[in-house]
Amino acid sequence: MTISGFLLSAALVLQAPTYETGVDARLDGRFEEAAEILAEVAQREPANADVFLQLGLTLSALGRFDEAEAALQRTLDLAPDYTDAHIALARLAYYRGDLDRAAELAAALPDDQTPPDLRARIDAARESPARSPWRTDVFAAYSSLSGPLSPWREAGVALGRRIDEETSLTGLAHWSRRFDDEDVYLSLTYARGLPDSGLAYVTLGGAPQADFRAQAAIRGGYESPTAPGGDGVQATVEASASRYGVGDVFAVQPGVRYLARSDGLRLGLRAMIYLDETRALQTGWEVSGELRASDRARLIASYTDAPDTESGRTSEVQSAALGLRYQLTDRLGLQAGLVHESREAYDRTEITISANRRF
C-alpha cells in the first residue's frame, strides 16, 4: 500500500462512527442517530455482543420492536449468559403487551440480577382489570320524534371474550322498535392486534326476518399503530356491504385520529362514501372528540353530516351528539348520551344509557 493510500484508510477509520458515540447518542435521547451509528458499527463488528445489545435498546426506544428483538437475540447468540440482554428482552415483551412472555422471561432471571421494578410492573399489568378475559355491555335508548310519530326504543347486550393478548371475539344482540316494526340484529366481531402493525377486525351480522335493519352485513376495518406511549396520528379505514329489503348498500369510511393520551385528548375526522340501494353515490363526514375531564370521567362529542342506512333506506342526516363516560370502579363503567338528528321527514332526539362490566 502506498503512503497516500495508508493515510486515506487511516482517515476513513478515524471518521467512522464508534461504539462509544452510538452509546452516547442513545443516553442523550438521540435515538435515530444512535440507531444509525450502532447499525454501522454492528456491520463492522459482527461478533461484538455489546454493540447488538445497545442497538436493541435503541430500536426498542424507537418502537421498532421486531428489529429490537432480532438485535437482542443476536446478542444472546454471541453471549448466551448476557444478563442485560435477557432483561432487555423481558422489558421488550412488556412494552409489546405480551405479559405472559414477559413474566416467563423475568422469572428465568436470577433474583439478585432482576431490576426490582420489572417483575412488579409485569405482575401489576397482569392483574389489571383491563386484562379480564370477559366483558359485557348492556344499553338502552329512547327516541322522541317530531310531530305525531311514535317513539323509537332500543336495547341490547354484548358479550366479549379476550382469547389471547392479541385476539378477541364479541357477540351482540340488538333489539329495535321503529314505526311499529321490530328487528333483532345479531353480530359477531373478530378483532386481531397485529404486532407493530395496528388492529384489524371483521364483523358478520344480520337481522332474521328484517323489517328495516340489514338482512345480512359484513364489515371490516383497520387501525394503524400509534407511537410508543400512544400519542400521535392514527389512520383508520372501514369498508362494509349490507343487504336490505330494498337493495344492497356498500360503504367505505377512511379516517384519521389525533391522540394525545398524556393530555387526555382524542380528535377524529372521518369521510363516508356510500353506494346506496339505487346505485347512487352519496358522501358525508364526521368529526368527533373526547376529553378527559377527570381520572374517571370523559366527555365525548361529535357532529355528523352523512347518509344513514339503518332505517332500511339511505337518507341524509345531520346529527350532533354529547356524552359522558364515567368509570365507577376499575371493572364497572357507565355512559350516558344525548343525540339530536335532523332528517328530511322528521327530527329525532335520543337518550342512551349503557353500562359495561369486566370479569
Side-chain angles (χ1 to χ4, degrees):
M1 178 183 292
T2 65
I3 293 177
S4 60
F6 175 80
L7 293 175
L8 177 60
S9 298
L12 291 174
V13 169
L14 290 173
Q15 293 174 2
T18 66
Y19 167 78
E20 288 76 13
T21 58
V23 174
D24 288 343
R26 182 182 78 81
L27 295 177
D28 287 343
R30 294 177 281 119
F31 299 117
E32 292 285 357
E33 179 184 347
E36 292 182 9
I37 293 173
L38 292 168
E40 184 175 335
V41 175
Q43 289 183 336
R44 297 200 312 266
E45 304 178 28
N48 189 332
D50 289 328
V51 173
F52 284 97
L53 172 66
Q54 293 296 326
L55 179 59
L57 295 173
T58 303
L59 293 170
S60 179
L62 289 169
R64 293 158 59 178
F65 295 143
D66 287 343
E67 297 172 76
E69 183 171 2
L72 294 172
Q73 289 291 355
R74 176 59 179 162
T75 305
L76 293 175
D77 290 341
L78 296 168
D81 297 326
Y82 204 150
T83 301
D84 287 347
H86 286 286
I87 293 173
L89 276 174
R91 289 193 186 279
L92 180 61
Y94 171 76
Y95 295 148
R96 300 177 86 161
D98 191 350
L99 300 180
D100 292 336
R101 182 164 185 259
E104 180 182 349
L105 292 170
L109 294 168
D111 290 338
D112 61 344
Q113 297 181 17
T114 305
D117 68 315
L118 180 58
R119 287 179 180 166
R121 288 184 179 183
I122 294 171
D123 291 342
R126 295 180 80 193
E127 295 172 2
S128 168
R131 280 181 49 83
S132 302
W134 291 95
R135 169 173 168 151
T136 184
D137 292 74
V138 294
F139 61 91
Y142 177 89
S143 298
S144 62
L145 278 61
S146 58
L149 299 174
S150 59
W152 293 359
R153 295 176 175 85
E154 300 182 42
V157 59
L159 181 63
R161 175 76 163 90
R162 193 186 71 249
I163 299 172
D164 56 37
E165 293 294 337
E166 305 292 344
T167 311
S168 66
L169 279 175
T170 302
L172 168 70
H174 183 179
W175 169 82
S176 304
R177 181 179 178 86
R178 301 179 185 178
F179 305 123
D180 298 325
D181 291 325
E182 294 186 18
D183 275 343
V184 176
Y185 188 86
L186 306 174
S187 69
L188 182 66
T189 298
Y190 172 85
R192 175 75 178 174
L194 308 174
D196 305 330
S197 301
L199 173 73
Y201 60 91
V202 62
T203 299
L204 299 176
Q209 301 177 337
D211 288 317
F212 52 87
R213 296 295 300 270
Q215 299 168 350
I218 181 171
R219 184 175 77 249
Y222 171 77
E223 300 176 359
S224 70
T226 58
D231 293 344
V233 176
Q234 181 182 44
T236 67
V237 65
E238 182 176 284
S240 63
S242 305
R243 170 153 293 178
Y244 293 88
V246 295
D248 297 338
V249 177
F250 303 91
V252 177
Q253 300 182 16
V256 63
R257 295 176 185 151
Y258 172 74
L259 308 173
R261 297 188 191 276
S262 58
D263 297 324
L265 177 65
R266 173 174 171 170
L267 301 174
L269 179 63
R270 182 170 54 151
M272 302 178 180
I273 306 168
Y274 288 85
L275 187 64
D276 70 15
E277 65 277 5
T278 67
R279 294 297 178 266
L281 187 66
Q282 299 196 40
T283 61
W285 55 273
E286 178 187 71
V287 60
S288 61
E290 182 175 324
L291 178 65
R292 184 175 62 224
S294 69
D295 289 342
R296 293 189 176 273
R298 282 171 167 74
L299 300 175
I300 307 164
S302 67
Y303 181 82
T304 307
D305 186 349
D308 175 75
T309 62
E310 285 198 355
S311 295
R313 292 183 182 275
T314 304
S315 58
E316 286 291 334
V317 176
Q318 295 81 41
S319 67
L322 292 173
L324 172 65
R325 184 181 299 138
Y326 191 83
Q327 201 67 31
L328 286 175
T329 69
D330 289 340
R331 296 180 183 272
L332 178 63
L334 298 177
Q335 183 169 327
L338 178 66
V339 179
H340 181 76
E341 289 184 349
S342 297
R343 299 171 178 252
E344 292 181 4
Y346 54 86
D347 288 353
R348 181 175 76 93
T349 301
E350 176 187 87
I351 297 175
T352 304
I353 298 176
S354 64
N356 65 78
R357 176 78 163 84
R358 295 182 183 274
F359 57 97

